[in-house]
Amino acid sequence: MTEKRMSAGFDLKGGETLRLYGIIDKMEMLDGGKIRVVDYKTGKTYGEKTKPQKEDLDRQVVFYKLLIDKYYAENRVTEAVLDFVQKSKKTGEFEKQKMMVDNSDVAKLEEEIQEFAEDIISGAFLDREYEKTKENEDF
């Protein structure tokens, strides 16, 4: 499946349900009903990115697993591929980053979502100090 729009409920500790949304570039069906997620990327390849940029990509892949597994109500995503559609400036080659995503990665992300949601619902996020960057200086 390509360009698959998905949404799933995410139950918060306070009893509320948060709706998660995403658009999956490509889902490849594997044996046993398992799924490989493919996400196409432009710009710098994985090997050219900084550590924080790599962490953001890793989190995105984990989010896709969370979303898809909640959508199907079962553990279906076993791997993901970040497929970079532009050649690396370092190697001159196209790059694919294959990643295995497990349930411990998802549990960590779920806890982060719970914490952020609690901060927003309670208003506690207004009291937090955030690092001012060029991207967020207007906010």
Side-chain angles (χ1 to χ4, degrees):
M1 289 184 264
T2 58
E3 292 294 315
K4 176 73 173 165
R5 294 179 184 274
M6 302 186 102
S7 71
F10 181 85
D11 295 329
L12 299 174
K13 292 176 184 171
E16 301 91 346
T17 300
L18 180 65
R19 200 98 196 122
L20 304 177
Y21 294 93
I23 301 172
I24 314 298
D25 287 346
K26 184 178 178 184
M27 292 175 22
E28 297 176 344
M29 302 307 170
L30 307 174
D31 292 339
K34 298 298 182 186
I35 295 172
R36 176 186 303 123
V37 173
V38 179
D39 195 40
Y40 296 102
K41 296 293 184 192
T42 58
K44 291 180 180 178
T45 62
Y46 197 83
E48 297 170 315
K49 295 203 180 280
T50 64
K51 183 178 178 186
Q53 290 170 328
K54 288 178 182 179
E55 289 170 351
D56 287 346
L57 290 175
D58 296 348
R59 187 177 299 105
Q60 181 181 4
V61 167
V62 174
F63 177 79
Y64 286 155
K65 175 175 175 51
L66 170 64
L67 178 63
I68 294 167
D69 288 352
K70 285 199 172 293
Y71 180 85
Y72 287 109
E74 63 181 289
N75 185 17
R76 295 195 61 184
V77 176
T78 56
E79 64 185 71
V81 176
L82 299 174
D83 191 348
F84 294 86
V85 298
Q86 293 169 291
K87 291 182 179 180
S88 167
K89 290 184 173 129
K90 290 181 181 177
T91 66
E93 301 290 325
F94 289 104
E95 186 178 324
K96 287 185 182 183
Q97 178 71 23
K98 185 176 180 179
M99 306 166 80
M100 306 308 286
V101 185
D102 64 31
N103 290 331
S104 66
D105 298 321
V106 173
K108 181 179 174 189
L109 180 60
E110 286 178 322
E111 188 57 39
E112 288 179 24
I113 293 170
Q114 287 284 352
E115 289 174 14
F116 284 129
E118 288 172 18
D119 283 354
I120 291 169
I121 291 168
S122 71
F125 78 98
L126 295 170
D127 298 328
R128 286 196 180 199
E129 291 292 325
Y130 292 96
E131 179 182 348
K132 186 175 179 180
T133 65
K134 188 172 186 166
E135 290 80 24
N136 70 15
E137 66 187 352
D138 292 335
F139 303 104

